[in-house]
Amino acid sequence: MDKQKIKPLDEERESRSLLSNAVVILHLVFGTLPLLLVVWAVDRLMSGTLTSTMIWIVGAAMVLFTLLRGMFYGMSIWRAHRSAYNALTRLRSRIVSHLQRFVYFTPKAYRYFNPKVYHFKLICKLVFLVSLYSGGTAGI
């Protein structure tokens, strides 16, 4: 891995955490606003100043805030998934680059660390076991 291309880890983590924190805060704010609107509407109802126009405005605002809350929730989940995937990718590449320093680690040996090859071998073994236990009629 080239050190020139990689941002310092602390700087990268800080920039990601600021945006993630902002998205989570907006999710919480838009989750709280409908409750505050209900409290405001009940207060107006108790004082006798609630009109039908106000009810429609409060209802539309609650729907809008709920949609925005869902959008920010989805964004926070997506950012968390992307951060975790990027962390795993960096970790795997660091492990492979570390293993490549050893003499016994050749491109032939790399295929055993490749998840697609490993999963294919695992599926083949499972199909074999299923066909073995079902009397050889497992659709092979």
Side-chain angles (χ1 to χ4, degrees):
M1 291 183 355
D2 189 14
K3 300 266 184 193
Q4 307 298 338
K5 292 181 183 177
I6 300 173
K7 284 169 55 174
L9 190 59
D10 292 335
E11 179 182 322
E12 186 178 352
R13 190 179 300 139
E14 183 178 328
S15 66
R16 271 193 263 143
S17 69
L18 288 175
L19 185 56
S20 295
N21 289 343
V23 169
V24 168
I25 288 172
L26 286 171
H27 169 254
L28 292 174
V29 165
F30 285 117
T32 306
L33 285 176
L35 299 173
L36 295 176
L37 283 175
V38 168
V39 169
W40 179 81
V42 168
D43 180 53
R44 292 290 178 165
L45 181 65
M46 296 299 227
S47 66
T49 58
L50 186 67
T51 64
S52 63
T53 306
M54 290 175 137
I55 293 174
W56 282 104
I57 291 173
V58 166
M62 288 176 68
V63 168
L64 177 69
F65 291 151
T66 304
L67 290 174
L68 288 172
R69 178 182 183 216
M71 182 185 75
F72 284 115
Y73 176 73
M75 284 177 59
S76 67
I77 294 296
W78 176 74
R79 288 197 53 79
H81 171 74
R82 195 175 89 183
S83 295
Y85 184 78
N86 288 340
L88 285 174
T89 302
R90 284 193 311 270
L91 182 63
R92 284 182 182 160
S93 65
R94 286 174 61 189
I95 289 171
V96 169
S97 67
H98 178 73
L99 289 174
Q100 285 176 344
R101 286 189 250 157
F102 298 114
V103 176
Y104 65 85
F105 192 81
T106 62
K108 184 178 178 184
Y110 175 72
R111 69 177 177 210
Y112 295 108
F113 293 100
N114 188 344
K116 290 181 183 176
V117 173
Y118 175 75
H119 289 210
F120 178 72
K121 288 180 180 180
L122 184 64
I123 289 170
C124 289
K125 288 178 185 177
L126 288 173
V127 167
F128 174 73
L129 289 174
V130 167
S131 67
L132 185 68
Y133 286 114
S134 65
T137 59
I140 297 177

